[in-house]
Amino acid sequence: MIRKPFIAGNWKMWGTRAQALAYCERLLELLPDPNRRRADVGVCAPFTALDVLVERLREREVRVAAQNLHQEENGAFTGEVSAPMLAEVGVDGVVLGHSERRQYNCETDRALQEKVPAALAAGIDPILCVGETEEEREAGETDRRLRHQIREDLERVEDERLADVVIAYEPIWAIGTGLTATPAQAQEAIAFVRALVGDRSEEAAARVRVLYGGSVKPENAAEIIAQPDVDGALVGGASLDPDSFARIIEAVPEP
Ligand code: PEP
């Protein structure tokens, strides 16, 4: 791994502006200075909290990400927000293809094919989520699902930009369930995702960050992040409390 691990908190649909302000204050008390951090840190939040987070966190080198965007720059898409709009607010990244959006908002691989390059074109790093259902894992179809998602979702990203995408392997059966992939399961799936990127570009495979997500907590973070191919974590529920999020960041092993 060339870059530091990346620990990103996904607030899901949590975080009024008042909660965001209080969160920033507490997180900044707990985080070491950026040059002493063993991990890069980010917070992925609803649109309405983004400007608060950018103002409070960016100068302390905490990255701020949105949780969705629309692939077009502007137009007749009521209720949507585009990549240039997010860039204007100053966000660094955007979560794309989260399983909750795939499940509840009909997010398709076809749409992701356009959303991922739209983020990159606006200077925003996509955090692309992929992962299998419980049924797929039990049927031995994890690799097939991951291959399909990686091929489809990254199809329109040039090889030179592949390493600018952060990929989060999030087995759906482990999200918000309290079930965590074992470190060995996380390692195996993430090595497979890296190899899929390597089918396009060996250089990108060496540089791309592939995170694990699914019920990461302070108690299990260290062992998962210590796996050779795991470049960090996307943390949902346990990131809503800044103390528990900071403990996960502290759990990142020494390089
Ligand atoms: C997530 O929302 O991306 C996630 C991994 O959630 P949790 O950590 O709660 O399983």
Side-chain angles (χ1 to χ4, degrees):
M1 191 198 318
I2 295 164
R3 290 181 266 190
K4 280 186 194 176
F6 181 34
I7 308 293
N10 176 23
W11 286 2
K12 308 186 190 237
M13 195 173 74
W14 180 86
T16 62
R17 294 167 69 81
Q19 285 168 327
L21 264 179
Y23 187 99
C24 293
E25 247 170 62
R26 181 66 183 146
L27 185 65
L28 293 177
E29 269 170 32
L30 297 168
L31 279 186
D33 287 340
N35 55 4
R36 293 197 298 114
R37 281 179 213 155
R38 291 198 289 268
D40 293 330
V41 178
V43 176
C44 315
F47 292 131
T48 48
L50 291 174
D51 64 330
V52 173
L53 296 182
V54 167
E55 196 187 313
R56 296 286 157 145
L57 297 181
R58 255 192 137 189
E59 67 182 34
R60 296 286 302 277
E61 295 184 31
V62 176
R63 300 170 67 76
V64 176
Q67 298 171 336
N68 183 34
L69 55 71
H70 193 278
Q71 54 271 35
E72 298 296 331
E73 283 191 20
N74 52 54
F77 303 102
T78 302
E80 296 290 338
V81 173
S82 71
M85 291 168 183
L86 292 176
E88 186 187 34
V89 177
V91 308
D92 307 286
V94 61
V95 177
L96 293 174
H98 192 281
S99 62
E100 288 154 15
R101 291 202 58 80
R102 291 182 191 255
Q103 186 179 352
Y104 304 126
N105 299 85
C106 308
E107 182 94 307
T108 61
D109 292 310
R110 177 74 190 74
L112 290 164
Q113 257 176 35
E114 297 183 6
K115 289 185 179 202
V116 176
L120 290 169
I124 296 173
D125 293 342
I127 303 172
L128 174 69
C129 301
V130 296
E132 80 286 2
T133 63
E134 190 172 8
E135 296 71 41
E136 286 166 336
R137 176 158 283 268
E138 277 170 8
E141 297 202 335
T142 300
D143 288 2
R144 189 190 60 77
R145 162 59 58 193
L146 293 176
R147 185 181 295 110
H148 179 81
Q149 289 178 325
I150 294 289
R151 277 202 187 145
E152 290 282 311
D153 301 353
L154 297 178
E155 188 182 289
R156 298 191 191 182
V157 177
E158 294 161 10
D159 289 356
E160 300 70 47
R161 302 287 327 256
L162 278 175
D164 297 326
V165 180
V166 176
I167 302 172
Y169 166 63
E170 299 210 312
I172 295 170
W173 47 271
I175 298 178
T177 58
L179 293 175
T180 315
T182 63
Q185 284 172 325
Q187 164 60 25
E188 189 184 356
I190 287 178
F192 182 68
V193 166
R194 195 180 299 286
L196 292 170
V197 175
D199 291 343
R200 299 259 315 263
S201 158
E202 284 296 334
E203 200 207 325
R207 289 180 51 227
V208 70
R209 287 208 272 209
V210 191
L211 315 183
Y212 169 78
S215 298
V216 173
K217 302 179 197 67
E219 298 73 36
N220 61 19
E223 213 187 342
I224 293 174
I225 298 164
Q227 298 302 307
D229 277 283
V230 178
D231 297 321
L234 183 57
V235 185
S239 74
L240 301 190
D241 169 11
D243 288 69
S244 109
F245 188 46
R247 280 169 57 214
I248 291 171
I249 296 161
E250 270 168 36
V252 172
E254 295 279 358

